[in-house]
Every structure is written in C-alpha cells, then in structure tokens.
Amino acid sequence: MTKQVQQRDRVIIRFAGDSGDGMQLAGDRFTQETASFGNDLSTLPNFPAEIRAPAGTLPGVSSFQVHFADHDILTPGDAPDVLVAMNPAALKANFDDVPRGADIIANTDEFTKRNLAKVGYTANPLEDGSLSAYQLHALPITSMTVKALAGCDVSRKDAERAKNMFALGLLSWLYSRPAEGTMKFLTSKFATKPEILKANIAAFQAGWNFGETTEAFSVQYEVKPATLAPGLYRNITGNSALSLGLVAASRRSGLPLFLGSYPITPASDILHELSKLKRFGVRTFQAEDEISGVGAALGASFGGSLGVTTTSGPGMCLKAETIGLAVSVELPLIICDIQRAGPSTGMPTKTEQADLLMALYGRNGESPVPVLAPATPADCFETAIEAVRIAVKYRTPVIILSDGYLANGSEPWRIPSVDNLAKLRNEFSFAVPHDAPADGPHDGPGEDQAAKGAPEFLPFQRDPQTLARPWAIPGTPGLEHRIGGIEKADGAGTISYDPDNHDKMVRLRQAKIDGIAADIAPLEVD
C-alpha cells in the first residue's frame, strides 16, 4: 500500500530491552546506517552495571538512544520521540523520559503476568488506558519473528533472539534508513553460521515488510542528510577518538606511546583500542591495580616515552600519590579520567561528571595540574593531542576529564589530514653548566657531555619562557641526576629540606602551570 511520507528535521529513538535482547546491536546498526545516509547524529548507549542482572528486572534494562537530524546537533537528546520497549521493565525504566504524544512500540509477547509483576505493574499498561496520551503500537514482535523464521533451520530460542533484527527492520523502514550496510554486516558477522545468517536477514526483512504492509503505521518519515563540510567521515566514540588522538600525538612528537592501565568502566575501551595498535609503536601494559598502572606510565615517561594511564573515579583516588610524584619530578604524564557516578563504586555504568574537584585539588601538598575537558566524542581526538602538547612542552602531568556520556556516545567525525596536525616538541636535554645562561632545553637525544665541556648537569634549571625543566633520559652520559618524591633544590635537584627553597619550588611549579594560559586562545562563549 502507498503511504504518506512526512519530512522531519530531527528524531530521537531509544531502543530498550533486557540486556540479552540485542538492543545495543540494533541501535548501533541503526546508527551506522544513519551515518552512511549523511545525517548528523549523536548516540548514548546505556548499560546495566551488574554482569548479569535477572532477566526482566529493572536493573537488567539496556538501552541505546540515537538522535539524528538534517542539521548540526550536539547531544543525544533528553526526550525520545520513539521508545521501543521489548518488555515491561524496558517500558517502566524509560517511561518518565517519554513526552506525551510520542510513539511507543511495545513487544506484547513479553507483557505476561509474571513479567509485569517483576517490575511492579498491577495491570497491563498496554491495555488499561494509561498510555492513551501516547501513540501506542502494541505488536507481538517475538511471535511475528518466530513465524517469519519458520522456514529456517534454527531452534525456537535462536529464532526468538532475532527479534532485535525484526525491530531494527521495522524502524529502518519507518525512518527510511538504508539496509545495505546491515546486510553486509550480518553476512560478515555470521559468515561461518549460514542458518543464523539466514534467520537474521529474514527477521530484518520481516520487520521491514511489516512496516510497509501493516495499517498500524500509515505514515513513513524521512530525515534528509545534514549539510556537512566536505571530507571523509567516520562514526566515532569518545574512547576511540581519545585513543586515536594519543597515537597521533605519539607519532607527531616522535615519542613511543606507553599505556599503563587497570581495566575499569567506562575507561577500559581505551586499553582495548590501543592494544590493537602495536604497529604504531604503542605498548600497552594491563597492570594488576591502579597504582601499578600509573607507576608504570610515569616510569615510561622517565625513560623517554609518552606515558599514559586511564581510569575512572575510584582509580583516580588510588593514582593521586603518583600524580603528585609526577608534579614533583616534573615529567610529562597523561591521565585519562573517564568519569562515572560515585562515590566509591557508585553507579559504574552511569554518567556523572563527578571528579572535577578531585582532578583540580585531590592530591596532597601544592600539586597543580592542568585539566582539559572535551566537549563531544569527536573532540576527544583534539583534546588528546592538546594534552600531549602541554605535557611535553611544560613537563607536567595533564588530566583529561572525559566521561561515560562522551566515551560510549558517538557522532560523525571528519578525519583530519595528518599534515594539518600539530608538530609536537619532544626535546630531550643536554647538560647546562652552572655559569651558562639559562637558554632553555637543547634539541636532540643525549650525547657525551664531556665532549661538550659541560661540568655538571642541572636537572631543574628551567626554560625561562615555559619554566620547564630538562627532560633527561636515564643512561645518557653526563645527564645523571637524582629523582624522587622528596623536595628538590632549585636547579641542582638534590634533596632539600630548606623551607625557603620549598616555598620557591612550590611557587615555580604553580607559575609553570599558570603560564600555560599564554598558549591557549581566548575562550569562545557558546
């Protein structure tokens, strides 16, 4: 039947169901097709914290929200225009976010007395009139999927698991999404399981055909492509962008990248991503705990590498002492704090920008550190490069404050030209005599200082412009010096208990961080 096509400038869709219902996959595939179609978009996956919450309960609800438009958008949105609820728990967990008049597509097969009771419904909301203010589409999605796969050689359980593809096919038809990419994805994913492949394709097509033929949906919607600057684009999450930014900074600075990390939600994907990039000189170390991870990263910086560590709120607490050590020894170190809700374990899969004050002040003594915060998932790439630029130039640890919202969300990213990326300084230092002018660090790797006629290396003699101390690589003849957390004498770097020297060093370290502002363009208020 011929159906009316209405134009929309933007739409927010939320796929929600049990953690085993495949909502993340359905949402991701819808997003990929939307990206290839040319819409601007922003996504927000939402996961349960428990490894396997009881099926059909509120803690087990998993959702994926995608906001797409024909113009520039900045967030995944707050209020979904469409909620796909695969069971009562999904409806109840997300209902408060749905505005009156929005579409609710509910899988009636899961609205049994037992499942309703699990989440506290005393009556079926699909039948008691409580959803009369909404555009309710109550569909037996599971049984329609099983019926559509009657000709496939799969078990009933596997047939039921394909209901996410039925829902994806229906939504793809409803919002005029292309299907070619999903077909290629399924063909690749199930290349060794032909019957499962056949079942998933059949379920997707059944959902598409249902939308096209049913009278339940009399209107099809279209969101035209957005006007984007010319270039090559890919869809990218914040954690992926941060990983690629760190690698790009490593290559542009000529410094090998070392990641010392302990897995923690929602930062673990950076470890996963960087572990795949060894061909770019990346080394990853999965430490036994947070303290070991940051200690290894700082040790790598001492050895002349670009040291990076990743964590979230509880891990930041454990890394505080070593970050303070990095402040004291004045070495580059990148700390990526992918924030989550606290305190303590808190809500590990939920977003909260909870660590700002800890990032600014959460170390003992006077230990100032520059803190950078990306604005969008794609902005994590530029933020990583900027963090490395500051860390290397000023010999300081730098904290990147991302969060779960940015880390797991995605948006289109225009891949930059390598030639347009900043060329970062990676200066290692030679000895500077006591009576030599403080003309700053010298370029190049270390050499025999005797040949230079330099009587003594001063590890804390500073560049007069940046106040950065030399970066001296262990094992370089003539650059031997003491290192550690006890206060240093200005210039010489020997242990000092003199209160006036301590006051001077505290003020110098603060002045160095304050001076970074001279390198930053004026703030543009949006």
Side-chain angles (χ1 to χ4, degrees):
M1 58 186 296
T2 303
K3 298 189 178 182
Q4 178 186 357
V5 178
Q6 289 185 3
Q7 298 293 327
R8 301 283 296 273
D9 63 344
R10 67 182 188 94
V11 175
I12 301 171
I13 298 175
R14 185 179 299 177
F15 297 86
D18 193 70
S19 56
D21 284 341
M23 294 295 94
Q24 301 299 327
L25 177 59
D28 181 69
R29 287 314 315 161
F30 192 94
T31 298
Q32 297 300 331
E33 295 293 3
T34 297
S36 66
F37 186 73
N39 296 118
D40 194 23
L41 61 88
S42 180
T43 70
L44 182 62
N46 193 3
F47 309 96
E50 290 87 346
I51 292 174
R52 186 61 172 133
T57 63
L58 292 174
V61 174
S62 174
S63 67
F64 188 105
Q65 184 160 301
V66 54
H67 180 191
F68 60 104
D70 63 5
H71 56 278
D72 184 37
I73 56 174
L74 300 176
T75 77
D78 296 316
D81 302 299
V82 182
L83 172 64
V84 179
M86 300 300 282
N87 62 13
L91 176 63
K92 189 162 192 176
N94 294 281
F95 181 71
D96 288 344
D97 294 338
V98 182
R100 295 166 67 89
D103 288 292
I104 296 176
I105 300 174
N107 179 17
T108 57
D109 290 322
E110 295 297 321
F111 280 72
T112 62
K113 287 185 178 181
R114 182 183 180 189
N115 286 343
L116 291 167
K118 280 183 182 180
V119 294
Y121 279 125
T122 57
N124 190 338
L126 306 183
E127 300 172 352
D128 65 3
S130 59
L131 301 180
S132 60
Y134 303 86
Q135 301 295 321
L136 176 62
H137 304 278
L139 309 174
I141 294 176
T142 302
S143 56
M144 285 194 293
T145 303
V146 171
K147 185 176 181 180
L149 304 189
C152 298
D153 187 18
V154 294
S155 66
R156 180 178 177 87
K157 182 178 180 181
D158 284 337
E160 291 180 351
R161 291 178 63 184
K163 61 182 178 290
N164 64 330
M165 287 296 107
F166 184 99
L168 176 61
L170 172 59
L171 269 295
S172 297
W173 171 84
L174 188 60
Y175 288 96
S176 307
R177 302 293 90 187
E180 294 79 9
T182 296
M183 294 298 106
K184 290 180 181 178
F185 168 81
L186 293 173
T187 300
S188 173
K189 182 176 178 65
F190 299 112
T192 60
K193 301 177 180 178
E195 287 302 319
I196 298 295
L197 168 62
K198 180 181 176 182
N200 277 274
I201 290 178
F204 180 89
Q205 292 174 335
W208 182 289
N209 294 337
F210 176 79
E212 201 165 44
T213 57
T214 183
E215 295 182 3
F217 296 95
S218 58
V219 176
Q220 187 179 22
Y221 300 98
E222 185 177 63
V223 181
K224 292 184 176 180
T227 302
L228 301 174
L232 179 62
Y233 286 81
R234 60 163 286 186
N235 196 43
I236 197 165
T237 66
N239 274 349
S240 293
L242 194 58
S243 302
L244 295 180
L246 291 170
V247 175
S250 165
R251 303 290 283 188
R252 296 298 284 176
S253 65
L255 297 169
L257 175 62
F258 178 93
L259 174 70
S261 180
Y262 180 74
I264 184 171
T265 302
S268 300
D269 281 342
I270 301 174
L271 173 60
H272 302 160
E273 190 81 17
L274 289 178
S275 68
K276 304 173 187 175
L277 301 177
K278 294 181 177 63
R279 64 188 182 278
F280 295 111
V282 177
R283 293 183 180 180
T284 55
F285 167 54
Q286 181 172 320
E288 65 268 30
D289 55 41
E290 296 282 3
I291 300 172
S292 300
V294 68
L298 182 57
S301 291
F302 178 54
S305 293
L306 176 58
V308 180
T309 189
T310 56
T311 190
S312 192
M316 281 292 286
C317 300
L318 295 167
K319 294 182 190 294
E321 181 182 1
T322 306
I323 297 172
L325 176 60
V327 172
S328 177
V329 299
E330 300 187 46
L331 285 172
L333 177 67
I334 307 298
I335 305 101
C336 303
D337 179 8
I338 317 302
Q339 299 169 92
R340 71 191 205 190
S344 186
T345 304
M347 299 190 292
T349 60
K350 308 305 178 185
T351 297
E352 186 173 48
Q353 295 173 333
D355 301 342
L356 175 61
L357 296 181
M358 179 166 61
L360 294 175
Y361 310 116
R363 294 166 295 282
N364 68 302
E366 301 291 334
S367 46
V369 171
V371 180
L372 281 64
T376 67
D379 188 44
C380 291
F381 178 85
E382 297 291 344
T383 301
I385 295 176
E386 175 69 357
V388 172
R389 182 190 72 82
I390 292 173
V392 171
K393 182 175 180 179
Y394 292 90
R395 311 286 195 267
T396 179
V398 177
I399 295 175
I400 297 176
L401 275 184
S402 181
D403 56 51
Y405 177 95
L406 299 179
N408 296 320
S410 65
E411 66 175 345
W413 174 54
R414 185 170 64 164
I415 300 173
S417 167
V418 173
D419 294 336
N420 293 334
L421 299 179
K423 180 80 168 81
L424 305 179
R425 292 169 27 162
N426 65 340
E427 296 146 349
F428 298 111
S429 299
F430 298 105
V432 181
H434 272 303
D435 55 354
D439 58 353
H442 298 235
D443 293 342
E447 296 178 357
D448 188 350
Q449 297 306 303
K452 296 287 184 179
E456 183 182 0
F457 174 58
L458 299 177
F460 282 85
Q461 180 163 315
R462 300 176 183 278
D463 183 305
Q465 293 183 321
T466 65
L467 298 181
R469 80 169 184 90
W471 191 359
I473 305 307
T476 305
L479 300 190
E480 296 85 357
H481 62 286
R482 298 186 70 163
I483 200 80
I486 301 179
E487 184 65 282
K488 320 305 182 283
D490 181 34
T494 53
I495 290 176
S496 173
Y497 292 98
D498 178 70
D500 291 333
N501 176 78
H502 174 62
D503 178 75
K504 182 178 182 179
M505 293 297 282
V506 165
R507 295 179 187 279
L508 277 171
R509 288 188 288 259
Q510 182 65 59
K512 180 176 69 169
I513 302 306
D514 292 341
I516 295 172
D519 261 5
I520 300 172
L523 181 68
E524 295 182 12
V525 179
D526 185 350

